[in-house]
């Protein structure tokens, strides 16, 4: 998102024959060039930007958050969701404030302004790692929903398997292949993020449908007194259970990562002064969805909840029309993820292009490069989804590495660097807190994950 600008000054006319390379510029031309080159586009609306940013946030994280409630307990879990929303808002506010001071129009450009070429490349590499991991998670969930998954020796049937039985054509590989070719590939071909505003609006609506149905099922079962109240506090029995609490941190971090799309959305706005209100509206909407889903999910399934809560919707719920409701929940969210895919892919493609072709012309103007990067990335995500078994594994990897850098460490580092001398004492204290919290939590999370894997390997019977 950091190369090849054609953006002229306010008093200049666009120059079509000369390219100006600027580290602070985005890969895509800003809206002023798009007025001329991309079908007379005059700027994105407030609602369209809210839907696009909300879609960036509410993806697969909503499916793993209920499992974090099983680890943390409902009280600390909900408190952490709210706390991470406020911390995310603070980090994005820092990015926007320093971007205005440095006249940077991309996250990568801002990192380049603060730390030079190495900083820009580091940010782009982290976005690539994070977004590849997130998109693999999306595909895994879609495969779980449509073709089924197995956990702890128990097989959870997918929708197609439940409807038609087990066949080669509704197996995981073939279903993901068809989904990739028929849905992901066409949606990934859009060259402007605002073109995805309608699919983003539909994806948010489908997430709300999922929440409403889940809440309705839980309320009916509460009235029937067929479910018990969940734990409000974590179950701590030994030192290992304490370390285990930190394994949820990467999931919580990943759930709110949207920083890499904020500048892109801002660049296309009809009124760029609205961006902070757009961020706050999106975070409020997504936090409501997250808390509601987590609360009703853990209430409905208790300690039997899976890493991917959608996989729980394959059994009799003990209420009328249970099968129909199960299918409605899973289908609505599978379609939601299919529509979220392109907006995450959009930033992935731009940042990979910035790493591979730092001096190239804007990606939107090179169809061959655009097509090659698109095909290569979709193929990589497809293969990853077929070889990584669990969304929890993918979340822990991306959340404990690239996501925490994008969301908290880099914004805090930019603030502490304070190239333009605008950081307040409060900014520096908050930035220091963010870095310490991020590093400590994720080091412990990585240690806990490694310890758990070692223990499982040690305890497993040898052939």
């Amino acid at each position: 998102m950091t190369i090849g600008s054609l953006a002229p000054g306010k008093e200049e006319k666009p120059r079509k024959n000369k390219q100006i390379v600027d580290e602070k510029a985005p890969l895509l031309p800003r809206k002023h060039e798009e007025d001329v080159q991309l079908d007379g586009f005059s700027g994105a609306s407030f609602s369209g930007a809210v839907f696009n940013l909300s879609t960036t946030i509410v993806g697969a994280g909503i499916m793993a958050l209920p499992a974090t409630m099983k680890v943390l307990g409902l009280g600390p879990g909900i408190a952490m969701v709210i706390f991470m929303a406020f911390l995310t808002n603070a980090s994005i506010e820092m990015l926007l404030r320093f971007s205005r001071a440095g006249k940077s129009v991309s996250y990568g450009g801002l990192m380049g302004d603060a730390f030079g070429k190495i900083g820009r490349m580091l940010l782009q590499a982290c976005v690539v790692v994070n977004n590849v991991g997130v998109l693999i998670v999306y595909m895994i969930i879609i495969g779980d929903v449509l073709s089924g998954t197995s956990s702890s020796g128990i097989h959870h049937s997918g929708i197609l398997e439940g409807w038609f039985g087990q066949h080669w054509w509704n197996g995981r590989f073939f279903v993901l292949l068809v989904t990739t070719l028929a849905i992901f590939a066409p949606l990934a071909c859009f060259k402007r993020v605002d073109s995805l505003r309608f699919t983003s609006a539909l994806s948010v609506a489908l997430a709300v449908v999922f929440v409403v149905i889940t809440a309705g099922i839980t309320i009916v079962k509460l009235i029937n007194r067929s479910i018990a109240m969940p734990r409000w506090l974590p179950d701590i029995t030994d030192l290992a259970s304490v370390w285990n609490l930190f394994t949820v941190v990467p999931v919580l971090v990943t759930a709110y990562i949207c920083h890499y799309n904020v500048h892109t959305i801002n660049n296309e706005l009809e009124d760029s002064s609205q961006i902070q209100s757009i961020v706050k509206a999106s975070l409020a909407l997504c936090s409501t969805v997250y808390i509601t889903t987590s609360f009703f999910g853990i209430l409905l399934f208790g300690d039997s909840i899976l890493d991917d809560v959608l996989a729980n919707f394959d059994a009799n719920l003990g209420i009328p029309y249970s099968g129909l409701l199960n299918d409605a929940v899973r289908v609505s969210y599978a379609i939601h993820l299919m529509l979220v895919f392109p907006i995450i892919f959009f930033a992935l493609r731009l940042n990979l292009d910035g790493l591979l072709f730092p001096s190239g012309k804007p990606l939107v103007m090179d169809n061959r490069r655009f097509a090659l990067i698109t095909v290569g990335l979709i193929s990589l995500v497809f293969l990853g989804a077929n070889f990584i078994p669990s969304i929890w594994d993918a979340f822990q990897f991306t959340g404990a590495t690239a996501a925490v850098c994008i969301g908290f460490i880099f914004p805090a580092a930019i603030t502490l660097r304070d190239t333009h001398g605008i950081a307040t004492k409060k900014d520096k204290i908050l930035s220091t807190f963010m870095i310490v919290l991020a590093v400590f939590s994720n080091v412990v999370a990585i240690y806990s994950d490694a310890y758990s894997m070692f223990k499982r390997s040690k305890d497993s019977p040898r052939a």
Side-chain angles (χ1 to χ4, degrees), residues 92-151:
I92 293 175
E93 191 275 333
M94 290 175 183
L95 291 180
L96 292 172
R97 183 148 43 93
F98 280 87
S99 294
R100 287 191 294 269
K103 295 182 173 57
S104 299
V105 292
S106 70
Y107 195 168
L110 180 58
M111 281 290 289
D113 183 41
F115 299 103
K117 182 179 178 180
I118 297 300
R120 174 180 60 82
M121 293 178 65
L122 183 60
L123 180 278
Q124 291 173 328
C126 285
V127 173
V128 170
V129 171
N130 178 77
N131 288 26
V132 166
V134 169
L135 293 180
I136 287 173
V137 166
Y138 291 176
M139 274 207 189
I140 291 173
I141 292 178
I142 291 168
D144 290 349
V145 171
L146 298 180
S147 299
T149 184
S150 297
S151 177

Side-chain angles (χ1 to χ4, degrees), residues 323-346:
L324 180 62
L325 290 171
N326 277 337
D327 289 346
V329 165
R330 294 191 290 173
V331 168
S332 66
Y333 210 81
I335 297 175
H336 162 78
L337 289 182
M338 293 176 189
L339 299 178
V340 172
F341 189 97
I343 200 163
I344 308 298
F345 188 87
F346 190 94

Side-chain angles (χ1 to χ4, degrees), residues 365-404:
M365 297 178 182
D366 190 331
N367 290 333
R368 181 181 179 184
R369 202 169 88 225
F370 184 92
L372 287 174
I373 293 176
T374 300
V375 171
L377 286 174
I378 288 179
S379 300
L380 174 64
V381 173
F382 173 78
L383 291 174
N386 280 280
F387 288 102
I388 296 176
S390 168
I391 69 168
W392 194 264
D393 296 334
F395 264 131
Q396 286 174 333
F397 173 72
T398 59
T401 53
V404 73

